[in-house]
Amino acid sequence: MATEDNEVEDPRPLVLIHNLPSFKLPLQDRLITHFRLFDSLASPEASSVRALICVGPTPVTADTLDHLPSLRLVVGSSAGLDHVDLAECRRRGIAVTNSGDAYSENVADYAVALLLDVLRRVSAADRFVRSGLWPQMGEYPLGCKLGGKRIGIVGLGSIGSEVAKRLVAFGCTVAYNSRNKKPSVMYPYYANVHDLAVNSDVLIVCCALTNETHHIINKDVLTALGREGVIINVGRGALVDEKELVQFLVQGEIGGAGLDVFENEPKVPKELFALDNVVLSPHLAVLTPESFEALNKVIIANLKAFFSNKPLLSPFQQE
């Protein structure tokens, strides 16, 4: 169709890129082939845009949605969507997707890496050698074997399932907690995290952050896990009561922790810096070139499905 100036109308669907200044969408240039992009809520296009890409943890609030009266789809670029007002989206009839399986293998790899590091003291041993302590102090303290450990997975979704698959290969036994028991899963199910902790040597936290899961790892759960227990968190910082965890670690009431996420990022409790049984990581579990490539494909597939009136590839589902 031509305009009055004999220009051909652009057939590409309009999509809003919604991002904080510090967050950019990887491989965004590939979207331009398929969609017309803009990035301002103040733009004239905001009133008619039907799809939004939410980059990273950029908040999507009721106020955000008020600027977008025609919006019918929020495409998330992360696995968790605690920064999106899901209830308000549901009320307004706005569909929401997340990253689907794009990050699952990468995060699972990282969770296992953190666990191996905590148990075998890899990072601490590296510091021991680099600081010149080996010739002075001799042998480094022993680490622990991974095989045979009882692993409790909090959130057996896409990421949790990949974690389980890897740890079974190491000879670990796996149990899990999720909102509901999964009929197709053979691992033992615990309806509450406290009971899971009682029967685990390690808790790996990879569920979504919601009002119900906030501080799901609390003082009672840490006590149940015990003095030799290990916490690995690759979900969200606020899934763990960070103040309680710090106290348990400082006082030697828990065996160790591998943490990729924190409650007030990028701030990390300074008490953890001197602890060799704690491995710290700056929210890196999802960040690989391969995961960005997979994410780009998921985002494009969700948008194409939406604009073609087909089922979405990765509608958000809480685990």
Side-chain angles (χ1 to χ4, degrees):
M1 181 178 178
T3 66
E4 293 181 357
D5 297 325
N6 294 321
E7 293 181 356
V8 177
E9 184 176 338
D10 193 333
R12 295 173 301 167
L14 191 65
V15 175
L16 170 64
I17 303 292
H18 184 54
N19 64 284
L20 296 168
S22 55
F23 285 87
K24 300 299 180 184
L25 184 66
L27 307 176
Q28 181 173 320
D29 56 312
R30 299 191 186 180
L31 295 172
I32 298 174
T33 304
H34 308 281
F35 311 103
R36 287 182 292 144
L37 307 178
F38 72 103
D39 60 5
S40 173
L41 292 175
S43 171
E45 291 96 336
S47 63
S48 61
V49 70
R50 298 175 60 218
L52 171 154
I53 300 174
C54 178
V55 183
T58 307
V60 177
T61 64
D63 181 65
T64 306
L65 300 176
D66 285 342
H67 288 82
L68 306 166
S70 301
L71 192 70
R72 289 296 175 266
L73 176 66
V74 172
V75 177
S77 66
S78 57
L81 294 172
D82 46 287
H83 51 288
V84 176
D85 190 334
L86 296 172
E88 187 63 21
C89 287
R90 191 179 305 114
R91 189 184 72 80
R92 299 185 188 217
I94 299 171
V96 181
T97 68
N98 67 355
S99 58
D101 296 337
Y103 297 142
S104 301
E105 292 184 351
N106 295 276
V107 177
D109 288 348
Y110 210 80
V112 174
L114 287 172
L115 178 55
L116 277 167
D117 197 338
V118 173
L119 293 178
R120 298 303 306 271
R121 302 173 178 265
V122 178
S123 293
D126 177 81
R127 292 191 295 272
F128 181 78
V129 173
R130 290 176 186 272
S131 63
L133 292 176
W134 193 8
Q136 301 173 30
M137 301 181 64
E139 296 301 318
Y140 190 73
L142 294 176
C144 297
K145 178 184 176 183
L146 174 56
K149 289 287 186 291
R150 300 172 302 162
I151 309 295
I153 298 178
V154 183
L156 197 73
S158 178
I159 292 171
S161 297
E162 291 292 337
V163 172
K165 183 194 306 182
R166 284 155 174 75
L167 290 174
V168 167
F170 273 95
C172 299
T173 59
V174 171
Y176 74 100
N177 164 266
S178 280
R179 287 194 309 157
N180 301 297
K181 184 176 182 180
K182 300 178 180 296
S184 61
V185 171
M186 299 302 294
Y187 309 128
Y189 169 75
Y190 289 89
N192 65 76
V193 178
H194 180 275
D195 290 347
L196 180 66
V198 168
N199 293 280
S200 299
D201 303 308
V202 176
L203 287 183
I204 298 181
V205 187
C206 44
C207 61
L209 177 61
T210 66
N211 291 334
E212 292 74 25
T213 61
H214 182 267
H215 285 185
I216 193 170
I217 308 300
N218 55 27
K219 183 177 181 179
D220 290 341
V221 171
L222 293 170
T223 300
L225 187 60
R227 297 180 68 87
E228 301 300 320
V230 172
I231 288 282
I232 303 295
N233 190 3
V234 289
R236 287 287 189 269
L239 293 168
V240 177
D241 187 331
E242 192 168 86
K243 290 183 179 179
E244 288 292 347
L245 177 61
V246 169
Q247 289 302 308
F248 270 70
L249 287 165
V250 169
Q251 295 170 12
E253 296 176 355
I254 193 171
L259 307 173
D260 184 51
V261 288
F262 305 89
E263 282 210 66
N264 299 295
E265 295 175 6
K267 295 180 180 179
V268 176
K270 294 180 180 179
E271 297 93 329
L272 301 179
F273 293 168
L275 301 180
D276 280 344
N277 61 335
V278 178
V279 179
L280 306 173
S281 170
H283 207 147
L284 286 178
V286 304
L287 301 182
T288 67
E290 293 85 355
S291 70
F292 288 156
E293 182 72 34
L295 174 64
N296 188 264
K297 290 178 180 178
V298 170
I299 288 175
I300 290 175
N302 275 316
L303 288 169
K304 283 187 172 182
F306 171 74
F307 287 114
S308 301
N309 294 316
K310 295 180 179 179
L312 298 170
L313 181 67
S314 60
F316 179 65
Q317 297 176 343
Q318 290 182 195
E319 294 297 336

